[in-house]
Amino acid sequence: MKKLALYWQILIAFALSVLFGLFFSDHVHLVAWMGDVFIKSLKMIIIPLIFTSIVSGIANVGSGDNLGRLGIKTIGYYLSTSTVALCIGLVVVNIFKPGVGADLGFANQVEGLGVAKESFGSTLMNIVPDNLFVAMVENQMLSIIFFAILMGFFITKTKEKSQKILLVFFDSLFELIMKITLFVIRFTPYGIFGIVAKQIAENNDLGELFSRLGLFMLVVILGLFIHAFIVL
């Protein structure tokens, strides 16, 4: 018997989680843990995945000249596509106004917003980590990416013997982390089930929730379709 594709498993889990949250809200604690474990697992692998992929990717580019040309092309492509995406998002959001007037219960104050007030110079200074392991513990992604780029670049500057050893090591480590990532992704339907069931059980106005989130999803899909049509 052919196994269902992952996206079908996710859709089925989503539908079942809505029903579970509606009709078995008193027992939602029995499944909520699956969502918590899934989120923790994603957080567990994100830093190793980013770090090893950047180091392995840059180290395999080759010389510094190749890296420079690739970097310029990548930055140019990123800036152009990001600008197009930003313009599309502003236009679509201002036309449909998804989420306006909705109260989804997210009233908790977000911590760390003061970081956004830092100057550009301070942000650049903070990219350089005082301690790489502290940066990993505190999820300082810019610092981690900066060190990964440095490591990948200077691997290409080591002796041939050392370079081969390091390339094999980081390629193998990246392959290992990818295996773990794919293993975690296989449990996405269970994570979705736990997360959605908990949110449904805790939300009082489901009609408002679904109408606003439905409009939001349609706007996101429309924006992605327009962006893909223009860029591709």
Side-chain angles (χ1 to χ4, degrees):
M1 183 177 178
K2 187 177 180 180
K3 187 177 180 180
L4 282 175
L6 181 61
Y7 56 85
W8 283 116
Q9 296 180 38
I10 294 173
L11 288 175
I12 293 172
F14 180 82
L16 293 176
S17 65
V18 172
L19 296 175
F20 191 95
L22 287 173
F23 298 106
F24 301 98
S25 57
D26 294 336
H27 304 285
V28 75
H29 64 279
L30 298 175
V31 298
W33 64 270
M34 294 190 296
D36 296 334
V37 172
F38 181 67
I39 295 298
K40 289 172 70 69
S41 299
L42 291 178
K43 291 180 179 179
M44 173 187 70
I45 61 174
I46 188 64
I47 290 179
L49 181 62
I50 291 175
F51 184 81
T52 56
S53 64
I54 291 176
V55 174
S56 176
I58 291 179
N60 280 288
V61 168
S63 65
D65 294 335
N66 291 336
L67 181 60
R69 288 194 294 269
L70 180 61
I72 293 173
K73 291 179 180 178
T74 302
I75 292 173
Y77 180 78
Y78 173 78
L79 291 177
S80 60
T81 54
S82 298
T83 302
V84 172
L86 179 62
C87 294
I88 293 172
L90 289 173
V91 171
V92 174
V93 167
N94 280 281
I95 291 175
F96 294 97
K97 302 184 185 304
V100 174
D103 182 10
L104 302 180
F106 304 137
N108 293 334
Q109 184 177 358
V110 179
E111 298 180 359
L113 289 180
V115 177
K117 298 180 181 179
E118 293 182 354
S119 66
F120 181 69
S122 299
T123 302
L124 289 179
M125 288 295 296
N126 291 333
I127 289 177
V128 182
D130 295 323
N131 187 308
L132 177 63
F133 298 102
V134 172
M136 288 183 171
V137 171
E138 296 179 354
N139 292 320
Q140 299 174 13
M141 295 307 302
L142 288 177
S143 298
I144 296 169
I145 292 172
F146 173 76
F147 187 84
I149 292 173
L150 280 181
M151 180 170 285
F153 175 75
F154 282 103
I155 284 177
T156 66
K157 301 298 183 182
T158 58
K159 295 179 180 179
E160 184 177 355
K161 182 179 179 180
S162 300
Q163 185 173 329
K164 288 181 179 179
I165 294 174
L166 290 170
L167 281 174
V168 170
F169 173 76
F170 279 103
D171 286 347
S172 302
L173 187 59
F174 174 59
E175 183 180 356
L176 172 63
I177 298 298
M178 278 300 301
K179 294 289 186 182
I180 298 174
T181 303
L182 293 175
F183 174 76
V184 172
I185 290 175
R186 289 173 56 186
F187 293 92
T188 301
Y190 300 99
I192 294 295
F193 187 93
I195 294 170
V196 175
K198 180 180 179 181
Q199 293 301 317
I200 294 294
E202 294 178 349
N203 200 290
N204 295 323
D205 193 351
L206 295 179
E208 177 71 11
L209 175 65
F210 282 117
S211 63
R212 295 297 178 179
L213 290 182
L215 178 59
F216 175 78
M217 291 172 62
L218 290 175
V219 170
V220 170
I221 292 172
L222 177 62
L224 291 173
F225 176 79
I226 295 173
H227 185 263
F229 179 77
I230 293 174
V231 173
L232 300 179

